Amino acid sequence: MVAMRWDSLFEGLESMWSGESEAARIDDERDRVRMSRAATETREVLWARAVADGGLVLRTGTDDFRIHPVRVGLDWVDGVTCGSAARIVVPIASIRSWSPLAACECARAQCHSVPLLEFAAVLRFLERKAVNVSVFAGNRALHGRIRAVWSGAITVNSTVEHDVTFSAIDAIGYP
């Protein structure tokens, strides 16, 4: 009878030890996942979401931009505006949050990652092409052409020439 009590005690201790070991293994796995997430850059998450969902709602300080991303660069997202053929470039620094785009009738565009291409390079491309752009900065929209791209700002020819810092740009729309 005493031997049975000892056996059940050891079985109970083994069960507790097994449960503790499993809990420690789960905690270690959760820590590895947290460390992996902490090392993942925002552009990688945006690109993965764009590939998975086909469209995103990018929320900036003043507007929501509904786009089907085509390219995700080092510090920007370029895509087609949902429901039109217009293109839009959004600097990652101006994005406050993002979510999947609700179901729509637009054709899904394949999204490419170009992790070495900076926002300034896209702006220089728009400057060289001399296309009309809409620069959304704060509560304003400037319409014109990008005349110059500086190290941290652009000059936009509108009715009057405007200089806009990169940090003030919420998005740039172009045809």
Side-chain angles (χ1 to χ4, degrees):
M1 189 154 213
V2 172
M4 280 182 47
R5 288 186 198 160
W6 282 108
D7 288 342
S8 65
L9 174 65
F10 286 130
E11 286 176 10
L13 288 173
E14 285 176 7
S15 175
M16 283 176 42
W17 178 258
S18 176
E20 289 295 320
S21 295
E22 180 63 15
R25 186 192 66 72
I26 290 170
D27 284 345
D28 287 345
E29 180 61 28
R30 287 180 180 159
D31 285 343
R32 278 191 289 281
V33 168
R34 283 186 197 102
M35 287 189 301
S36 172
R37 286 181 184 151
T40 303
E41 295 182 23
T42 302
R43 68 170 180 76
E44 294 174 29
V45 176
L46 277 166
W47 179 71
R49 296 282 167 88
V51 168
D53 300 330
L56 296 171
V57 177
L58 304 177
R59 291 175 183 83
T60 65
T62 57
D63 289 303
D64 288 355
F65 298 99
R66 300 167 43 89
I67 71 167
H68 297 279
V70 176
R71 297 179 301 165
V72 177
L74 178 65
D75 52 357
W76 53 272
V77 178
D78 177 27
V80 179
T81 305
C82 185
S84 79
R87 297 287 293 260
I88 195 160
V89 179
V90 182
I92 288 177
S94 74
I95 299 172
R96 303 294 179 250
S97 66
W98 62 86
S99 59
L101 186 61
C104 68
E105 302 298 320
C106 299
R108 286 181 69 142
Q110 186 176 3
C111 186
H112 301 282
S113 176
V114 284
L116 301 178
L117 198 59
E118 297 177 337
F119 184 54
V122 175
L123 296 174
R124 282 194 276 295
F125 170 78
L126 294 173
E127 175 193 14
R128 279 192 305 276
K129 291 292 185 181
V131 296
N132 286 319
V133 297
S134 297
V135 178
F136 300 95
N139 294 329
R140 297 179 60 180
L142 301 170
H143 306 286
R145 290 191 172 143
I146 297 175
R147 189 184 67 74
V149 179
W150 311 102
S151 100
I154 60 173
T155 300
V156 179
N157 273 348
S158 187
T159 53
V160 176
E161 196 168 87
H162 296 275
D163 292 314
V164 183
T165 63
F166 288 178
S167 63
I169 298 171
D170 289 329
I172 297 180
Y174 64 99

